[in-house]
């Protein structure tokens, strides 16, 4: 919200709201979705009517508004997509508006929380149905360009959600790992008899597979997240145009992958971690079930994972015939000095999809999910190449820490690539 106001709002709006939002003294909302328009923002009907003083009145209803109403801060700054009377249909007709819960003179605006939505998880966040009833607002940016201004928030949010997925998965792993180190059940295969009547479940191969696999996702995810943060800094601060272009390419292609795969893994990997607890994981005392519930929505919000896949393949990679993907893989190869078989196969898959879409434009949409997963595995593989290359200088203890998840990645995670490749090739051949 701070970045959106900073880049698009008028000087007077910046003076009033920027510092308060920047410090967190006032929290902000993103009001996009409406009851009849989920991900299809072009269907939005909220109306903005011009007033004689240059401001606008808003009328309409938004849903799924995180932090739409609360008493955590003295004020709430609402950023709302709405349509001017003469606006064309679709997303190009949307403009962005700002108004607070309380105006500077202390008057409360005409925005009402009609309902707190009862969610599956994230119960610490009040998610609201918000109704605007002649709410007086100010436009942010130019008319008809509200969606581009809002996407400054959306793109940042997608990276944040990817980090949320990594964090939730790590939290689930930490709980499961701690439990596995103290819970005894049965005899582990290959273990000799001991004084204890049973072995720790961390010593059982089935549990080790779960724990090491989730650790492999978390560790590689952090490498990719930190790299993306560095690329964002290069976009903003590098004086070199080629460096900026490479950084922009990384962020454009990797962001949808990060958002999709790590929110997916937070839920499914978190569920695997719950399995470590057995029946105890399904009751609330241990806390693991909350992580599974909380993680589920991250696959939906800030652009569903299916939309992320379509954005990656159809809207980005296919528009230039795969050139941007090949350049990204070239950049990655420079750092590791080797291109894996999977990376080479990803190049070929991209070309196959491009060829197939010339005959059937729907192919890209059909294989988008599989393609995103395949690309994610190549990125994870690259991250583990970076980790493994730096283990030579570490102590034996640190090598032990990293060896198991590295092995788990190769044995239990990377083989998925072959399955995704087979699915994509079959779809391309069917055109």
């Amino acid at each position: 919200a701070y970045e959106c106001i900073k880049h698009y709002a008028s000087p007077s709006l910046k003076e009033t709201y920027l510092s308060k939002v920047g410090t967190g003294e006032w929290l902000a909302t993103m009001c996009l979705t409406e009851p009849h328009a989920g991900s299809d923002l072009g269907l939005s009907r909220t109306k903005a009517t011009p007033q004689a003083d240059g401001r606008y009145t808003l009328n309409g209803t938004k849903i799924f508004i995180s932090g739409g109403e609360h008493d955590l801060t003295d004020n709430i700054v609402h950023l709302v997509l709405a349509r001017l009377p003469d606006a064309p249909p679709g997303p190009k007709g949307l403009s962005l508006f700002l108004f607070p819960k309380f105006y500077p003179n202390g008057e409360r605006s005409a925005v009402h929380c009609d309902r707190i939505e009862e969610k599956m998880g994230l119960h610490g966040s009040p998610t609201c149905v918000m109704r605007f009833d002649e709410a007086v607002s100010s436009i942010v940016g130019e008319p008809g360009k509200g969606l581009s201004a809002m996407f400054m928030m959306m793109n940042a949010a997608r990276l944040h959600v990817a980090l949320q997925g990594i964090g939730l998965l790590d939290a689930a792993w930490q709980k499961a790992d701690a439990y596995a180190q103290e819970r005894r059940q049965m005899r582990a295969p290959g273990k000799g008899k001991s004084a204890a009547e049973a072995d720790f479940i961390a010593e059982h191969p089935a549990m080790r597979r779960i724990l090491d696999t989730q650790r492999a996702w978390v560790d590689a995810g952090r490498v990719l997240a930190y790299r993306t943060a560095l690329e964002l800094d290069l976009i903003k601060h590098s004086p070199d145009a080629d460096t900026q272009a490479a950084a922009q390419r990384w962020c454009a292609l990797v962001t949808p992958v990060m958002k999709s795969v790590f929110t997916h893994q937070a839920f499914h990997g978190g569920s695997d971690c719950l399995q470590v607890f057995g029946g105890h994981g399904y009751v609330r005392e241990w806390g693991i079930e909350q992580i599974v519930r909380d993680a589920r929505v991250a696959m939906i919000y800030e652009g569903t994972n299916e939309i992320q896949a379509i954005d990656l393949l159809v809207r980005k990679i296919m528009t230039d015939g795969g050139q941007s993907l090949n350049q990204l893989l070239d950049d990655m190869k420079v750092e590791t000095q080797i291109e894996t078989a999977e990376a080479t196969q990803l190049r070929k898959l991209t070309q196959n999809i491009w060829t197939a879409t010339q005959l059937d434009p729907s192919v890209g949409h059909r294989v988008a999910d599989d393609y995103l997963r395949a690309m994610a595995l190549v990125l994870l593989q690259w991250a583990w190449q970076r980790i493994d290359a730096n283990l030579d200088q570490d102590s034996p203890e640190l090598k032990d820490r990293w060896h198991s998840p590295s092995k788990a990645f190769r044995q239990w995670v990377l083989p998925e690539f072959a399955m995704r490749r087979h699915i994509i090739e079959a779809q391309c051949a069917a055109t």
Side-chain angles (χ1 to χ4, degrees):
Y2 176 90
E3 292 292 334
C4 184
I5 296 170
K6 178 181 176 181
H7 282 84
Y8 295 103
S10 66
S12 61
L13 288 177
K14 291 180 185 178
E15 182 179 357
T16 304
Y17 298 105
L18 194 59
S19 65
K20 298 286 190 181
V21 171
T23 60
E25 187 174 346
W26 294 350
L27 294 179
T29 70
M30 298 166 58
C31 299
L32 292 79
T33 310
E34 299 182 9
H36 62 283
S39 298
D40 191 355
L41 296 177
L43 297 177
S44 298
R45 298 173 185 163
T46 299
K47 294 293 185 182
T49 305
Q51 302 299 298
D53 62 359
R55 295 187 294 175
Y56 302 80
T57 56
L58 264 59
N59 288 277
T61 298
K62 300 286 186 178
I63 62 173
F64 306 151
I65 309 306
S66 299
E69 179 59 81
H70 57 76
D71 56 6
L72 296 172
T73 57
D74 294 335
N75 208 350
I76 304 172
V77 180
H78 299 287
L79 289 163
V80 187
L81 285 178
R83 198 177 297 278
L84 292 167
D86 58 350
K92 293 183 179 179
L94 294 172
S95 302
L96 183 62
F97 299 87
L98 179 152
F99 64 93
K101 179 179 178 180
F102 294 102
Y103 296 110
N105 64 4
E107 178 187 358
R108 179 159 185 161
S109 63
V111 56
H112 310 278
C113 174
D114 282 350
R115 182 165 67 92
I116 300 290
E117 291 156 335
E118 292 295 333
K119 297 174 296 184
M120 175 179 171
L122 291 188
H123 294 147
S125 169
T127 306
C128 309
V129 175
M130 303 299 293
R131 173 170 49 89
F132 312 114
D133 188 9
E134 298 291 314
V136 179
S137 64
S138 300
I139 195 167
V140 176
E142 300 179 30
K145 296 187 177 180
L147 202 55
S148 62
M150 186 67 86
F151 262 94
M152 173 168 282
M153 302 172 70
M154 288 289 288
N155 285 330
R158 286 170 178 174
L159 288 171
H160 298 160
V161 171
L163 287 168
Q164 182 182 9
I166 296 170
L168 284 166
L169 181 60
D170 193 14
W173 178 88
Q174 288 186 36
K175 286 180 177 291
D177 182 66
Y179 184 82
Q181 303 296 337
E182 65 182 29
R183 174 74 166 178
R184 292 183 181 272
Q185 293 280 275
M186 300 174 284
R187 290 294 181 191
K191 289 279 292 183
K193 289 187 177 181
S194 65
E197 60 182 352
D199 293 320
F200 293 116
I201 62 174
E203 297 172 344
H204 287 260
M207 296 297 100
R208 284 261 50 91
R209 174 177 176 171
I210 290 175
L211 293 169
D212 292 342
T213 297
Q214 304 318 314
R215 192 70 244 168
W217 277 92
V218 171
D219 292 339
R222 284 178 168 167
V223 171
L224 294 171
Y226 298 155
R227 177 55 178 267
T228 303
L230 290 172
E231 299 295 342
L232 288 170
D233 283 349
L234 289 173
I235 292 173
K236 190 172 183 179
H237 300 294
S238 175
D240 180 66
D242 290 340
T243 300
Q244 282 191 332
Q248 186 64 55
R249 180 167 54 248
W250 174 281
C251 292
L253 297 181
V254 174
T255 294
V257 177
M258 293 280 291
K259 191 278 179 184
S260 180
V261 296
F262 286 107
T263 57
H264 181 278
Q265 199 62 29
F267 177 70
H268 292 280
S271 179
D272 285 345
C273 288
L274 186 151
Q275 191 76 8
V276 174
F277 288 81
H280 292 290
Y282 202 65
V283 295
R284 291 191 170 183
E285 287 91 325
W286 294 89
I288 186 74
E289 58 84 30
Q290 180 186 340
I291 294 174
V292 177
R293 286 187 292 105
D294 288 353
R296 185 57 182 86
V297 72
M299 299 166 66
I300 299 170
Y301 60 25
E302 312 307 344
T304 67
N305 287 358
E306 292 76 15
I307 286 177
Q308 303 298 327
I310 293 170
D311 174 60
L312 171 70
L313 181 59
V314 178
R315 298 174 187 162
K316 291 176 178 173
I317 293 176
M318 286 296 103
T319 55
D320 64 10
Q323 181 180 353
S324 58
L325 183 277
N326 286 328
Q327 289 176 324
L328 177 68
L329 294 177
D330 288 343
D331 294 340
M332 294 163 59
K333 181 179 178 181
V334 168
E335 296 190 35
T336 58
Q337 296 297 305
I338 187 173
E339 178 164 296
T340 63
E342 288 77 10
T344 301
Q345 290 164 1
L346 184 64
R347 294 182 192 265
K348 294 178 181 178
L349 283 175
T350 306
Q351 185 58 50
N352 288 347
I353 296 169
W354 166 255
T355 301
T357 55
Q358 307 312 300
L359 300 173
D360 182 357
S362 71
V363 171
H365 293 264
R366 294 205 305 271
V367 302
D369 281 337
D370 296 294
Y371 184 88
L372 184 144
R373 293 289 298 187
M375 182 172 168
L377 292 164
V378 170
L379 288 169
L380 291 168
Q381 184 183 44
W382 175 86
W384 270 109
Q385 285 179 289
R386 300 292 305 275
I387 295 171
D388 290 337
N390 285 281
L391 291 183
D392 295 340
Q393 301 175 11
D394 289 336
S395 66
E397 291 77 12
L398 285 179
K399 285 186 178 181
D400 291 341
R401 153 64 180 86
W402 297 96
H403 174 74
S404 294
S406 177
K407 183 178 179 181
F409 172 77
R410 295 190 301 273
Q411 291 185 336
W412 307 118
V413 180
L414 189 59
E416 181 190 337
F417 184 91
M419 180 190 75
R420 300 294 175 179
R421 184 189 66 189
H422 177 75
I423 292 172
I424 293 170
E425 290 175 342
Q427 288 292 319
C428 290
T431 57

